Amino acid sequence: MNFLDHIAFIPLLPLLGAFIQLLFGRKLKNGEVSLVSVGLPGVSLAWAVGCFFELLGRPEHTFLSTIYTWLPAGAFHLANGGVGNLSVNVGFQLDPLSAVMLLVVTGVGFLIHVYSIGYMGHDPEGGYYRFFGYLNLFMFSMLVLILADNYLMMFVGWEGVGLCSYLLIGFYFKKKSAGDAGKKAFIVNRIGDAGFLMGVMLMTVTFGTLNFQEITAAAHRGQFPVGNGVITAICILLFIGATGKSAQIPLYIWLPDAMEGPTPVSALIHAATMVTAGVYMVARSNALFVLAPTALEIVAVIGAATAIWAASIALVQNDIKKVLAYSTVSQLGYMFLACGVGAFAAGIFHVMTHAFFKALLFLGAGSVIHAMSGEQDMRKMGGLRKKIPITFYTLLAATLAISGVPGLAGFFSKDEILWQSFSSPHGSTFLWGIGWITAGMTGFYMFRLLFMTFWGPSRVDHEVEHHIHESPWTMLGPLTVLAALSVVGGYLNWPFESFGKFLEPVFENPSVAHAETSHSTEMLLMGLSIAIALAGIGVAYAFYVKREVTQERLAAAPGTAETILLNKYYVDELYDALFVNRTKDIGNGLAAFDMGVVDGAVNGAGWLTRTSATISRLWDEWVVDGIVNVAAYTIKLLSYPALMVQTGLVQSYALLIVLGVLIFMAYYLIHF
């Protein structure tokens, strides 16, 4: 079978699952829902693997498929005075970059679907079919995003995952906090999406096309010089879209609140796939970004700042999912740091390894929450490693991986980013230093989570302690697979940087020069990154294992710095003061204007109409009707004699005729 010729089946199968669940799922049993909504993404995964191996057999490692012409816009004038002929297709492009993302989305997505069978099986709201319908719809949207061969079709998938994010974050819509989190994610993402859309518009009038390959070819031809203002503007607008979807400063505020959704949602959307869409879009646009050094610098600085900012907040959070949420924001910052220094392959490598260990961390946290009857506060945990051992060991593997411990997946990708941020022509010691410090913070907050949850004396409530149990195998199976990937996933780039070489055709740019640095410097920096990670782990061990975590210690009042971090630098309060409340004030002002001026004018016109109508009615009743009535009465009086004669009796009329004839005859006889 030729898988590539039918590549459209990969996104269409989850779409079919969503269609079945959202229209007919209410009538299906949970087992039937699982069979459809997990089975179809499983077939998509198998199809994606088949397409991947067929792609490897092609010399150019690229496959294009046009389904039909979507928007034949025709000829129009370009910004440079030329004439463009825009035609946007519904088409798919599979190359090394989209192939990596395809395997990550379908592979991790399928495991999360399997996990959800156990996690959502006893959903008290009865929304099992609805949850899987939304999950399948998300898979369809994400697959459209990564397989699209042009920016406009990518934007369709981009908006689709935004919609599904809103639906899944607010899945428990009876909870006000969940509804508010869903609306917050939707609004913040719309701000970023506006930037993306403006970038697409500017790209249209600049290139006359939105096709990836055509834009890349135009960029490589040297048609635009390095530092061109229009290209820089396009890249900055595209990056604004990426900051919304991938939770970077200043639009990162939605992602921590998104933890209100079910834990599989956190794993799928906010760890493994959706939030990496911005990184994928920037990497896909690499030919443009290398022509815009200013835009690259902005990407690198924002990425580095986000990495250390979010990591510092994660240091003190007590909600197990909130720690992982800020960890996600921080790791996304690492990915943008890599893209900002021109190391796009390193950024995508971290996207892949991060999908393994962060999905595992969220699913493992879900297993802990499941065992703890819904409890998420780490201060009410402790001593769980012997009660839920499989969950503990899988979470340990993920924690070691994200902390950058040598030999695990996170070490390879994070070390590559730190190295590139130092050695790249666009890198600097400053950017490396921020990444290096963040690596130490990561080791600390992740092992703080592990130690507070699994070590020390139990702080679990007595009612909960009797119900602690290991999760079912529908949940533990995906944890085990992801744990294995978190251990071995990094070796895809070792030795000889094979992962980077696989992606080379996508990121190859003849205009970019690469700096040469010594092997000894690389080894020194690697040693420093290992040292800072181990130092962070050691500090966490000293604070949370050597010093026993007691209820008295947890109840102590936090210091000033801890209070600031616990309140997330008061960014939400600042945004409320600057934007939310000011928007409310504008809305209240507009409402007052509407009520006082617009409604006043309408009401005044109505009052004037009623008043004039009343005067007209009174004039009509008192004057006009009076004159008419008087005239009628006069006519009636004058016609009274005639009315006396007009009796309506034939006999009366005959008598009057006879009398008339007699009178005329008498008159005639007398006078003549």
Side-chain angles (χ1 to χ4, degrees), residues 614-627:
T614 301
I615 295 172
S616 176
R617 178 175 57 81
L618 293 175
W619 170 267
D620 184 63
E621 290 178 355
W622 294 353
V623 178
V624 178
D625 286 358
I627 294 172

Side-chain angles (χ1 to χ4, degrees), residues 95-250:
D95 60 8
L97 175 58
S98 55
V100 169
M101 293 297 296
L102 179 64
L103 293 179
V104 168
V105 171
T106 55
V108 176
F110 173 69
L111 292 174
I112 293 171
H113 275 72
V114 174
Y115 176 94
S116 300
I117 296 174
Y119 192 88
M120 298 297 294
H122 303 288
D123 178 49
E125 302 294 332
Y128 191 78
Y129 76 94
R130 182 167 54 89
F131 176 82
F132 275 101
Y134 293 161
L135 219 58
N136 279 188
L137 187 61
F138 169 82
M139 285 282 288
F140 162 74
S141 301
M142 190 67 195
L143 289 169
V144 168
L145 189 156
I146 60 177
L147 288 174
D149 70 348
N150 63 80
Y151 282 97
L152 196 58
M153 190 174 168
M154 174 190 272
F155 187 72
V156 172
W158 188 277
E159 289 298 282
V161 294
L163 170 64
C164 296
S165 175
Y166 166 74
L167 294 172
L168 286 165
I169 294 169
F171 180 76
Y172 297 123
F173 55 86
K174 293 182 180 179
K175 287 174 57 181
K176 185 178 184 302
S177 58
D180 290 345
K183 287 182 284 187
K184 186 176 184 180
F186 193 81
I187 292 169
V188 173
N189 272 275
R190 295 295 73 73
I191 296 170
D193 294 351
F196 186 8
L197 193 56
M198 286 189 286
V200 170
M201 293 176 182
L202 185 55
M203 195 183 304
T204 303
V205 299
T206 302
F207 293 97
T209 180
L210 292 174
N211 183 271
F212 294 144
Q213 286 200 327
E214 293 174 2
I215 289 175
T216 300
H220 287 174
R221 280 196 300 266
Q223 181 179 345
F224 298 91
V226 175
N228 179 270
V230 175
I231 301 299
T232 300
I234 291 172
C235 292
I236 291 174
L237 288 170
L238 292 178
F239 181 60
I240 290 173
T243 60
K245 197 67 69 185
S246 295
Q248 297 296 285
I249 292 173

Side-chain angles (χ1 to χ4, degrees), residues 435-648:
W436 182 70
I437 294 171
T438 303
M441 290 181 172
T442 304
F444 174 81
Y445 68 67
M446 284 309 309
F447 272 86
R448 172 180 178 267
L449 178 152
L450 195 74
F451 293 146
M452 287 187 70
T453 304
F454 294 101
W455 257 264
S458 174
R459 302 179 299 278
V460 180
D461 292 340
H462 292 297
E463 296 79 8
V464 175
E465 194 160 15
H466 298 296
H467 301 287
I468 296 176
H469 59 283
E470 190 62 275
S471 300
W473 274 103
T474 50
M475 296 169 65
L476 295 178
L479 293 183
T480 305
V481 174
L482 288 168
L485 291 172
S486 298
V487 173
V488 305
Y491 292 95
L492 291 174
N493 197 41
W494 186 87
F496 313 123
E497 297 186 357
S498 49
F499 185 85
K501 285 184 170 60
F502 176 66
L503 292 176
E504 252 180 20
V506 181
F507 301 131
E508 186 179 18
N509 197 307
S511 63
V512 178
H514 298 279
E516 295 293 334
T517 51
S518 68
H519 184 69
S520 59
T521 303
E522 184 176 1
M523 291 296 102
L524 173 63
L525 295 179
M526 182 188 296
L528 289 174
S529 69
I530 295 172
I532 194 72
L534 295 178
I537 296 171
V539 173
Y541 180 81
F543 271 82
Y544 295 98
V545 176
K546 283 291 187 182
R547 289 180 58 195
E548 190 174 280
V549 181
T550 61
Q551 295 288 0
E552 294 75 15
R553 180 181 165 191
L554 293 172
T560 303
E562 187 178 356
T563 300
I564 293 172
L565 294 176
L566 280 170
N567 288 281
K568 301 157 286 187
Y569 295 108
Y570 298 97
V571 171
D572 282 324
E573 290 78 2
L574 178 64
Y575 280 17
D576 283 344
L578 293 178
F579 304 114
V580 178
N581 293 334
R582 299 296 73 77
T583 302
K584 289 180 181 178
D585 291 342
I586 293 172
N588 291 334
L590 291 173
F593 177 81
D594 182 64
M595 295 173 65
V597 178
V598 178
D599 286 356
V602 173
N603 294 335
W607 177 85
L608 182 61
T609 302
R610 287 196 305 272
T611 302
S612 60
T614 301
I615 295 172
S616 176
R617 178 175 57 81
L618 293 175
W619 170 267
D620 184 63
E621 290 178 355
W622 294 353
V623 178
V624 178
D625 286 358
I627 294 172
V628 171
N629 291 336
V630 169
Y633 184 72
T634 302
I635 293 170
K636 186 176 181 180
L637 288 176
L638 293 174
S639 62
Y640 185 73
L643 292 174
M644 294 293 291
V645 176
Q646 300 295 329
T647 62

